[in-house]
Amino acid sequence: MINSNVRGRSWLRLVGVVVLALVLASCSDRLEKDGSDSAESVPSAQLQAWSELHSDPYGIGQRALQSYAYAAAAMAKAQPECGLGWATLAGIGSVSSDHGEASGSTVGVDGMVTPEMRNLRQSRETGAKVVSDTDAGHYDGSSVIDARMGPMQILPSQWEQFATDADNDGKPNPDSFDDSTLTAARLLCGVGDLRKSENWSAAVGQFNSMPGFVEKVHAVALRYGR
């Protein structure tokens, strides 16, 4: 088994420092540059001012929005050919976990979601396939099934392949909004150019087999991308 902690840190070194002047697909006219230097060690803090400004208009919690925007910016730098916009990530986060606030969970100022999210109701509605265990409970705590994890509801097998330590605390954590969102971004971009509708649908469909999931995410993402 490949050590996902090492792989995540190695990938982040390739990304380097994200520049705020990046054009994020689907909402480039809504982003402004933030010229201030943040003293925070968490990389996503570069998008804090922007997310504070846009949290209320978009109806998304500031800390969640900060993670979505940072992950999209990081991918725009690392894989510009992917064409991933933050609105797609926010659409998945909205449908999957109400931006980390489903079932009474809350998002801390550090981006940690508590209590932890595992196999949320909206991720296992009628029609969603039950996935047999692949990790012996190593990531999700279940040795019976693969339970979707964190605010982006990522499966353990997907986490094993794409897990990234986005908040620089030394270990990818599915309940860290920064880690979960950047991991989800890498999973999405693994499909290819998301500006092609068939690729976008295939990429989003990896998160949940529930009938109508892709359509729900699309509707939400369109609203955010206006």
Side-chain angles (χ1 to χ4, degrees), residues 6 33 45 52 70 102 139 186:
V6 173
K33 294 182 181 180
E52 288 175 347
Y70 173 75
Y139 296 112
R186 294 184 64 203

Side-chain angles (χ1 to χ4, degrees), residues 66-81:
Q66 177 177 313
S67 294
Y68 297 140
Y70 173 75
M75 295 312 299
K77 184 178 180 65
Q79 293 180 234
E81 69 280 4

Side-chain angles (χ1 to χ4, degrees), residues 189-208:
C189 287
V191 173
D193 186 354
L194 300 183
R195 290 163 294 196
K196 297 180 179 179
S197 60
E198 63 272 20
N199 288 352
W200 189 93
S201 295
V204 172
Q206 296 176 104
F207 287 82
N208 201 305

Side-chain angles (χ1 to χ4, degrees), residues 43-222:
S44 69
Q46 297 173 84
L47 278 299
Q48 181 176 343
W50 180 85
S51 62
E52 288 175 347
L53 181 64
H54 293 83
S55 175
D56 285 342
Y58 286 123
I60 302 173
Q62 180 272 320
R63 194 56 182 79
L65 184 56
Q66 177 177 313
S67 294
Y68 297 140
Y70 173 75
M75 295 312 299
K77 184 178 180 65
Q79 293 180 234
E81 69 280 4
C82 171
L84 173 64
W86 72 264
T88 292
L89 293 166
I92 294 171
S94 174
V95 176
S96 297
S97 73
D98 297 336
H99 304 303
E101 297 180 355
S103 300
S105 289
T106 59
V107 185
V109 294
D110 59 354
M112 291 301 300
V113 179
T114 54
E116 66 181 25
M117 295 181 148
R118 297 293 181 270
N119 235 27
L120 294 176
R121 177 192 56 76
Q122 54 260 61
S123 291
R124 50 183 173 82
E125 292 178 358
T126 303
K129 296 178 181 178
V130 175
V131 181
S132 299
D133 177 65
T134 64
D135 68 330
H138 178 69
Y139 296 112
D140 61 0
S142 172
S143 59
V144 179
I145 64 170
D146 266 2
R148 292 175 174 83
M149 309 180 295
M152 302 301 279
Q153 291 290 274
I154 299 172
L155 288 168
S157 58
Q158 298 167 333
W159 187 262
E160 169 63 25
Q161 185 175 1
F162 294 101
T164 304
D165 176 20
D167 57 11
N168 285 347
D169 68 352
K171 181 180 179 181
N173 185 337
D175 294 296
S176 159
F177 227 116
D178 287 348
D179 294 357
S180 184
T181 307
L182 187 51
T183 296
R186 294 184 64 203
L187 173 61
L188 288 163
C189 287
V191 173
D193 186 354
L194 300 183
R195 290 163 294 196
K196 297 180 179 179
S197 60
E198 63 272 20
N199 288 352
W200 189 93
S201 295
V204 172
Q206 296 176 104
F207 287 82
N208 201 305
S209 61
M210 184 175 62
F213 178 80
V214 172
E215 290 76 13
K216 288 180 180 178
V217 171
H218 185 256
V220 176
L222 278 181

